[in-house]
Amino acid sequence: MRSLIDILELSTEEINDLVDVATKIIADPAAYAHKCDGKILATLFFEPSTRTRLSFESAMLSLGGQVLGFSEASSSSAAKGESVADTVRTVSCYSDIIAMRHPKEGAPLVASQHSLVPVINAGDGGHNHPTQTLTDLLTIHHEKGHFEDLTVGFCGDLKFGRTVHSLISAMSRYKGTKIVLVSPDELKLPSYVKKEVLKKNDIPYEQTTDLEEVMPKLDILYMTRVQRERFFNEEDYLRLKDSYILTPDKLRNAKEDLSILHPLPRVNEISVAVDKDPRAAYFRQVRNGRYIRMALIMKLLGIE
Ligand code: NCD
């Protein structure tokens, strides 16, 4: 039985296979409509979510399976003081696969150690978010046609943004990847990611506070929201929240085939005027989230 807690648990071949299957599903969804008949997905969300939870549910329903779960900790036995281990032991008796989001780093890993069924990490605190990364990778593959030789800029909250940490790990395995980190000083990429991912794999990277200066070299621009819920005080959040606002004007010097990604939700960091730019890929990215999760659920359940 296999869970998915960290994106690096999947080999690059497995990622290519998932991208392949997702692309086939997009072309012919009807062929997959009964692949998970009789299977149940449980979504255990101890933290708010729109896209991730609903895309998991939509994925399972689109495969013919069923879903159950909760969308806030206050409506589960966690409110009575139950441990994650006990909750997951219980829910794994009611389901065939579990998607879990939790504010504590490592909670889905603990869950996977006590579960009778596969557990998928749907985001753990400021740590990791592997299924968003699969969504991002599918989007990059559709937009660019390959994963090699890409200069990827990450802009915004690189400290708390778990999607950033997971995507940097994933991209570090491809030949020719260059990383450009754009953030205010207070929201720089954690040093453990720099050391364990970028330095360890000899990935060329630069850090700056100036988005416009680095814009011309980017193939992918990954914008992120400042993660309000991870701040210790509101004042710091208010000071930093509008550090970067992408507008059509700031894209003046960007490549013509730049792809702009964002895991969403967007707050202020991309002006709505950018939405009609053909380089804005973030709503195509949302759609991809459903299909790559269909491919992943089938894989973890051992369904061809
Ligand atoms: C992201 C998350 O939850 O980390 N959203 C998502 O899963 N699509 C990004 C965010 O909340 O800013």
Side-chain angles (χ1 to χ4, degrees), residues 51-52 101 122 129 132 162-163 225 227 229 262-265 293:
R51 267 150 298 273
T52 305
R101 167 170 289 190
H129 192 346
Q132 180 62 46
R162 55 194 171 195
T163 64
R225 163 182 79 89
Q227 307 278 302
E229 65 276 33
H262 190 309
L264 303 180
R293 289 184 174 96

